[in-house]
Amino acid sequence: MKLDSPQKEIYGKERFTALQAQRLAQEIAFGPIVFQISRLMVKFGIFDMLSDNRQGLTLDEIKEKTKLSKYAVQILLESSLTIGTVLLKDEKFFLAKAGWFLINDKMARVNMEFNHDVNYLGMFNLEEALLNGKPEGLKVFGSWPTIYEGLSSLPAQVQKSWFGFDHFYSDNSFEQALEIVFSKKPKTLLDVGGNTGRWATQCVHHDANVVVTIMDLPQQIGLMRNAVKGMDGEDRILGHGANLLDKNVPFPTGFDAIWMSQFLDCFSEEEVTSILSRAAKSMDGNATLYIMETFWDRQKFETASYCLAQTSVYFTALANGNSKMYYSEDMIRCINDAGLKVDTIYDNLGLGHSIVACKLK
């Protein structure tokens, strides 16, 4: 595995002094507690209160505003003080920079909700998932082989956080992605793994002539039908139900463009190669296949690489047990093995997406 800058400079040398490393070790050891305390500081509105009261608030004032017991408030504040999300001066508590980001950085909020509602309980079974190659943590919600079969049956709050996470990252790249895909003026587009049809909706609004077919599990096609019902361009959004993990299921033919957004990270390398091979067999020499992914090694900022590497663990413990947020060279190898070649790579789209445009070899 090789890395380019900035990751090469960051991950190739020790980043912490001995004292900082010791502190980090304890933060890791108490990680679940740190997470839940910080989540509740957001939920109970304490960070917001401190943000609104720049002159600071005493413990008793926070107790009065939250209606929590003094004991509860003291537990939350003392933990947060040592975490570094609040400050204490002259018997008053103030909001620290990290606390500010937890309430003002939408990415942090989306990640926190996703990790609490979707990941938290299932991560207890991560060891089992790594050893068995199966999403052993998914059992906290149901007995499906992967989370995708059960997505429509998950508890409402879990669905909300799952889709909120998925849409937050993809939506921020759509505007730039539309310009790239429609620069070649496709008339027909196959949206593979199109979920609830957000990309398809963007496409039919962007181009009044394009017809988009969403290829996904039958359960997802049903969710999509409900999501796009009554929207402008609904008649140009079609559905094609299929189990993409079945190696005998072919791709429909006759499309100018094939689109896979945040989709291939849901599959193992073997499965990715199988899917791309079947896609390649459906293409002619004029068609282009677009893969939009957040590759952890092609990020502009290290924090994004960190978030993506941790998100990989969701796939291990809950999604399917064998996929991840890909290292770009692994994806390119799968593309080549499938009978395709990389035509162009567009980096730094939205919140860190790349689009890999592929053609037949």
Side-chain angles (χ1 to χ4, degrees):
M1 181 181 291
K2 62 180 181 179
L3 295 174
D4 295 321
S5 297
Q7 287 85 357
K8 181 178 180 180
E9 301 300 321
I10 295 170
Y11 297 139
K13 60 184 179 182
E14 179 62 66
R15 287 180 280 164
F16 307 106
T17 66
L19 284 176
Q20 289 171 333
Q22 182 186 44
R23 166 72 186 209
L24 176 59
Q26 299 310 317
E27 289 177 349
I28 293 168
F30 283 96
I33 295 172
V34 170
F35 174 82
Q36 290 296 351
I37 286 289
S38 301
R39 184 185 72 84
L40 291 175
M41 289 288 283
V42 173
K43 181 176 182 179
F44 293 146
I46 298 175
F47 286 149
D48 283 318
M49 292 173 194
L50 296 176
S51 179
D52 293 339
N53 292 272
R54 300 295 180 88
Q55 76 281 6
L57 293 171
T58 65
L59 189 152
D60 287 336
E61 288 172 331
I62 295 171
K63 169 183 172 295
E64 181 62 29
K65 288 177 179 291
T66 60
K67 305 303 180 185
L68 296 172
S69 69
K70 182 176 181 180
Y71 170 80
V73 171
Q74 193 166 1
I75 287 290
L76 290 165
L77 288 173
E78 289 177 357
S79 177
S80 296
L81 183 63
T82 59
I83 291 168
T85 53
V86 301
L87 306 171
L88 177 62
K89 300 177 185 177
D90 300 325
E91 298 187 2
K92 288 187 176 183
F93 290 90
F94 299 81
L95 186 66
K97 290 178 182 177
W100 185 93
F101 276 105
L102 285 173
I103 57 174
N104 289 287
D105 182 352
K106 189 175 180 181
M107 183 188 296
R109 294 290 293 271
V110 166
N111 289 344
M112 180 172 278
E113 290 166 3
F114 178 68
N115 281 315
H116 177 66
D117 293 326
V118 180
N119 292 332
Y120 200 83
L121 295 177
M123 283 297 159
F124 189 82
N125 300 107
L126 175 60
E127 180 180 353
E128 195 178 351
L130 286 166
L131 293 174
N132 298 339
K134 296 179 180 179
E136 302 290 1
L138 186 56
K139 66 183 72 171
V140 301
F141 297 123
S143 57
W144 313 286
T146 73
I147 201 170
Y148 310 109
E149 286 91 340
L151 197 55
S152 61
S153 302
L154 291 174
Q157 183 58 43
V158 178
Q159 281 193 38
K160 180 181 178 183
S161 293
W162 192 96
F163 282 113
F165 180 85
D166 182 72
H167 294 163
F168 174 74
Y169 286 97
S170 61
D171 288 4
N172 277 280
S173 302
F174 277 174
E175 185 175 344
Q176 292 164 290
L178 287 167
E179 295 300 322
I180 292 169
V181 173
F182 283 91
S183 65
K184 295 190 176 183
K185 303 188 184 323
K187 298 301 179 186
T188 56
L189 185 147
L190 182 66
D191 182 3
V192 185
N195 261 330
T196 55
R198 290 175 80 89
W199 167 254
T201 301
Q202 294 279 336
C203 289
V204 297
H205 289 168
H206 183 85
D207 188 307
N209 297 310
V210 72
V211 175
V212 180
T213 300
I214 294 177
M215 185 180 184
D216 211 327
L217 290 166
Q219 305 95 303
Q220 291 302 109
I221 298 298
L223 290 174
M224 178 274 291
R225 296 285 190 204
N226 291 330
V228 304
K229 190 174 183 179
M231 289 185 178
D232 290 340
E234 176 191 357
D235 59 322
R236 291 184 286 119
I237 300 176
L238 312 178
H240 182 91
N243 179 6
L244 287 152
L245 284 177
D246 186 340
K247 295 180 180 179
N248 296 314
V249 172
F251 272 55
T253 60
F255 292 93
D256 300 324
I258 299 176
W259 173 255
M260 299 179 181
S261 173
Q262 295 185 178
F263 171 70
L264 293 178
D265 53 40
C266 301
F267 303 98
S268 68
E269 288 189 31
E270 180 183 356
E271 291 164 343
V272 167
T273 303
S274 170
I275 290 167
L276 291 177
S277 295
R278 284 175 278 148
K281 290 176 182 177
S282 76
M283 297 167 60
D284 63 27
N286 296 317
T288 304
L289 186 151
Y290 299 92
I291 298 168
M292 187 165 84
E293 289 288 347
T294 42
F295 300 111
W296 69 262
D297 62 306
R298 299 185 74 94
Q299 298 304 304
K300 186 176 181 181
F301 300 107
E302 192 277 333
T303 297
S305 297
Y306 170 86
C307 292
L308 291 170
Q310 311 322 311
T311 301
S312 283
V313 187
Y314 145 77
F315 291 101
T316 306
L318 284 111
N320 52 42
N322 59 13
S323 74
K324 62 194 293 291
M325 306 306 286
Y326 274 97
Y327 169 58
S328 62
E329 292 297 322
D330 289 337
M331 181 62 69
I332 291 170
R333 185 179 64 256
C334 292
I335 291 167
N336 289 326
D337 289 347
L340 296 163
K341 63 180 180 180
V342 174
D343 184 53
T344 310
I345 299 180
Y346 306 87
D347 285 325
N348 301 318
L349 308 177
L351 294 172
H353 280 87
S354 297
I355 289 180
V356 184
C358 307
K359 307 286 285 187
L360 283 176
K361 284 185 177 177

